[in-house]
Amino acid sequence: MKKYSKTIDIPNWHLISKKYAGWAEHGWDLHSKQIPKEDYEWLSEILVPPIEKFSGQKHKLVVAIMFFVAPHASRGIHIDSFPEGWKYYPNWGLNIPIANCDRSEQQWFNGNYTQETYHRPGGSYSEKLTWVTPPKLVESVSIDTPTLVYVDIPHDVKNNSNLPRTLLSVRFTPNPITVTPLKE
């Protein structure tokens, strides 16, 4: 049983994949890119009803970011972070595959580490980790369909493809899953 990921039925997610397929060209040289706020209403129409059906709660889309991983590369083990002053901390994200996700995997790790907030190019934040002991892989999943992912422990993405991996990551308030997995 997966602890840090859960697939979710999003009936029209292919419309999102189709709309943003051209963004894959940025995967050769970008780390991330913010989705324009003008797109949030359209994204919400597709994503919020299935999220609400899944959780039994009312939700609002609060951030949508496209993430890229170059061919045969990884993002590096990190923990997602958000700017200081945010009133809401989303520790579950909804990942929507856009391009070349079938030959990549998201991985979660545990171990002893220290962390420091890092502002990445493209507008995203993450926690830079310095490992005291080697990280231990605790879960791995291919994100080739919409998947809720836990982002509050060390995780990485590896792209084993010859093309850039492009994925839309969306955060909602409140979190779609309210249970926090116990760290291993």
Side-chain angles (χ1 to χ4, degrees):
M1 184 169 108
K2 300 290 183 185
K3 186 174 180 178
Y4 301 110
S5 63
K6 178 155 185 55
T7 58
I8 181 169
D9 182 31
I10 307 286
N12 292 317
W13 74 272
H14 288 359
L15 296 174
I16 295 169
S17 186
K18 184 177 178 180
K19 177 179 175 99
Y20 296 110
W23 285 41
E25 70 186 38
H26 299 295
W28 298 99
D29 54 10
L30 281 185
H31 176 273
S32 63
K33 185 174 179 175
Q34 296 278 344
I35 298 296
K37 297 278 187 210
E38 304 85 62
D39 290 3
Y40 280 27
E41 185 177 338
W42 179 80
L43 285 169
S44 293
E45 288 173 5
I46 296 171
L47 299 175
V48 169
I51 289 292
E52 291 180 347
K53 181 179 178 184
F54 171 83
S55 74
Q57 302 178 71
K58 291 287 183 189
H59 292 277
K60 179 182 177 188
L61 186 151
V62 292
V63 68
I65 303 172
M66 196 72 70
F67 287 108
F68 308 97
V69 180
H72 302 286
S74 74
R75 291 185 61 78
I77 301 174
H78 65 284
I79 298 174
D80 291 9
S81 184
F82 293 88
E84 213 173 295
W86 267 47
K87 294 178 181 137
Y88 161 69
Y89 186 79
N91 56 14
W92 284 90
L94 173 62
N95 285 354
I96 306 287
I98 302 299
N100 308 311
C101 294
D102 58 331
R103 296 208 47 229
S104 67
E105 59 185 309
Q106 183 156 339
Q107 303 173 320
W108 289 265
F109 299 87
N110 70 11
N112 190 4
Y113 58 88
T114 60
Q115 63 190 67
E116 172 186 355
T117 301
Y118 176 68
H119 182 220
R120 293 184 172 275
S124 64
Y125 290 77
S126 67
E127 295 295 313
K128 179 182 176 193
L129 308 178
T130 302
W131 291 92
V132 177
T133 60
K136 177 185 169 199
L137 179 67
V138 293
E139 185 173 320
S140 179
V141 66
S142 175
I143 310 237
D144 53 5
T145 61
T147 305
L148 289 165
V149 296
Y150 190 66
V151 296
D152 205 20
I153 69 164
H155 58 281
D156 191 8
V157 174
K158 291 189 176 188
N159 179 4
N160 300 311
S161 169
N162 293 327
L163 297 169
R165 178 244 198 201
T166 306
L167 180 138
L168 176 64
S169 192
V170 182
R171 305 297 191 271
F172 299 91
T173 182
N175 278 302
I177 298 177
T178 55
V179 175
T180 300
L182 294 174
K183 295 179 182 174
E184 312 218 355

